[in-house]
Amino acid sequence: MKHTAARTRVLANRALLRLTTRVQEGLEEAGRRPDRGDISTTTVIIWVAAVTGAVLIAGTIAVVISKYNGKLNGL
């Protein structure tokens, strides 16, 4: 189905209207309830540290396994 320029403009305007309406509703909600249960900075720091630690541990295990792979085959 071919879209004409006018139809494309209508679809773009409709999407823009939905987006601006949603943003406006979100801002109004934030004004009514300032504490909406947003994630605190401390929680984000803890999660980043936990994920970083897990990646470092997995990387270390991968390096050790690849280094000693030939020696572990005989076990």
Side-chain angles (χ1 to χ4, degrees), residues 5-75:
R7 173 133 171 92
T8 303
R9 219 174 305 118
V10 167
L11 292 174
N13 285 339
R14 191 178 301 160
L16 185 61
L17 178 63
R18 273 185 269 159
L19 178 65
T20 54
T21 301
R22 178 64 188 116
V23 169
Q24 185 178 7
E25 289 171 354
L27 290 173
E28 289 171 359
E29 177 72 15
R32 283 193 304 272
R33 295 185 327 147
D35 183 18
R36 300 183 327 257
D38 291 337
I39 297 175
S40 69
T41 305
T42 307
T43 304
V44 172
I45 292 170
I46 290 169
W47 273 103
V48 168
V51 170
T52 303
V55 168
L56 287 174
I57 290 169
T60 302
I61 291 171
V63 167
V64 169
I65 287 176
S66 67
K67 182 176 180 180
Y68 294 106
N69 195 23
K71 296 178 182 177
L72 293 174
N73 284 337
L75 295 178

